[in-house]
Amino acid sequence: MTERKPDFADLLMLESVDRDIFRGLCHDGAPMRAFGGQVAAQAQVAAGRTVEPDRRMHSLHGYFLRPGRTDAPIVYLVERIRDGRSFTTRRVSAVQDGETIFSMSASFQRPRDADETHQREAPDVPEPETLRRWWGPIDEAPEYRPFLLIDIRSTTGVPGRAATPPIAAAPGPADGMPRQNVWVRVDQVLPDDPLLHVCALTYLSDLTLASTANLPYMALPGRLDIVSLDHAMWFHRPFRADDWLLFAQDSPSADSGRGLSRGMFFTRDGLLVASAIQEVGLFRR
């Protein structure tokens, strides 16, 4: 029998334990360490399950407090901070073995029309069909196979790996900032659930954002461990995470063992749909 290809939605599936209490499992992002993007996305799912369906998540602010494990469930505890006429606020604590490993605040809004609208122009980059796919077969590390559900194509090389010329030398303003641009999408059709697409984008954002701060230091001797410290996202306009999105990233600062990365997601039509900022710890071994 052929093994069923997993659905991306399965990665965000949670069990309802009690009112405002949910439980899930995460796959590896590093050996025996839960992938932070999945933890954050599952926390979003937990928050969204306690909110009226006419509200759309527009922002999240999360802190990675301890590494999560992949061999034990994670319990998500939701606090109902506020239910207003236009905005709803939730706080989520992800707990494993009695300790909080991730804390997140999320805000939801009832959609409304507005006359005020502007956005940054999307960068001019090659189309995704002209670029090499990042993921190949993952035979040596089967625990990473969930990542095969994601299609990533870099306009400047393979994100987070050595390239010729170096990715850090990607064209851009001479302002000293490392940059990388990648096209990303979930490589299967997702259900028409706005919350699922928002959570999927958080998962996608954690795949390359941290490596942007590391680009100038890849040639230095020794091993550099990258640990996510916090993660924030803003969702500006509706989108689908199973359509191609251009993730334009840069890193304006690194100091004191911390690196800051930021990125913007654009549709193929140039519409800015979301923004992300992440600070990571850079630890040389």
Side-chain angles (χ1 to χ4, degrees):
M1 292 180 62
T2 302
E3 184 178 355
R4 182 182 74 89
K5 183 179 180 180
D7 291 330
F8 180 84
D10 293 342
L11 302 180
L12 307 184
M13 187 177 298
L14 297 180
E15 173 192 0
S16 179
V17 178
D18 204 337
R19 184 180 188 269
D20 300 345
I21 303 175
F22 306 90
R23 181 164 51 210
L25 289 168
C26 289
H27 65 72
D28 284 0
M32 291 305 295
R33 190 169 71 197
F35 175 51
Q38 188 182 16
V39 175
Q42 288 188 353
Q44 287 176 272
V45 172
R49 286 211 195 163
T50 70
V51 173
E52 293 296 324
D54 67 333
R55 307 292 171 111
R56 299 289 184 264
M57 183 179 290
H58 71 87
S59 70
L60 69 87
H61 300 260
Y63 286 89
F64 295 96
L65 306 175
R66 297 177 177 86
R69 301 201 334 270
T70 60
D71 59 350
I74 299 172
V75 176
Y76 297 91
L77 309 176
V78 182
E79 296 179 65
R80 303 185 183 226
I81 304 300
R82 180 175 183 266
D83 288 283
R85 288 187 297 176
S86 298
F87 291 90
T88 296
T89 306
R90 295 291 184 262
R91 182 180 297 127
V92 184
S93 298
V95 179
Q96 192 172 53
D97 295 332
E99 295 185 322
T100 302
I101 64 170
F102 178 73
S103 176
M104 182 190 77
S105 294
S107 184
F108 300 75
Q109 181 189 18
R110 176 178 290 135
R112 71 179 186 90
D113 296 328
D115 296 328
E116 306 82 18
T117 178
H118 67 272
Q119 68 159 76
R120 174 180 168 175
E121 185 177 348
D124 185 14
V125 300
E127 294 296 315
E129 291 82 5
T130 68
L131 304 170
R132 181 167 60 96
R133 183 176 176 131
W134 182 17
W135 302 114
I138 306 180
D139 297 327
E140 300 81 8
E143 63 272 20
Y144 297 146
R145 282 182 184 153
F147 291 135
L148 295 178
L149 299 172
I150 307 302
D151 197 347
I152 302 180
R153 307 197 183 192
S154 173
T155 67
T156 48
V158 179
R161 303 182 190 175
T164 305
I167 307 174
D175 54 12
M177 284 199 295
R179 286 178 164 78
Q180 65 176 341
N181 297 318
V182 300
W183 289 99
V184 296
R185 68 175 179 181
V186 176
D187 199 16
Q188 58 185 212
V189 177
L190 296 176
D192 296 331
D193 177 359
L195 179 64
L196 175 61
H197 289 266
V198 163
C199 297
L201 196 64
T202 298
Y203 181 104
L204 293 173
S205 70
D206 199 37
L207 289 167
T208 62
L209 195 56
S211 67
T212 307
N214 180 39
L215 293 177
Y217 316 109
M218 292 170 58
L220 297 180
R223 173 185 170 187
L224 187 68
D225 288 339
I226 303 177
V227 179
S228 298
L229 301 176
D230 58 22
H231 196 101
M233 292 195 70
W234 295 264
F235 306 100
H236 312 306
R237 299 170 177 89
F239 61 88
R240 292 191 65 91
D242 50 7
D243 287 340
W244 283 116
L245 296 169
L246 175 64
F247 194 18
Q249 304 157 72
D250 62 34
S251 178
S253 176
D255 193 24
S256 302
R258 303 189 315 276
L260 184 68
S261 297
R262 59 189 183 181
M264 289 173 285
F265 287 94
F266 297 88
T267 66
R268 296 184 75 148
D269 296 332
L271 191 65
L272 176 62
V273 296
S275 301
I277 295 181
Q278 184 179 75
E279 190 171 46
V280 297
L282 304 171
F283 303 105
R284 181 71 57 184
R285 302 295 182 185

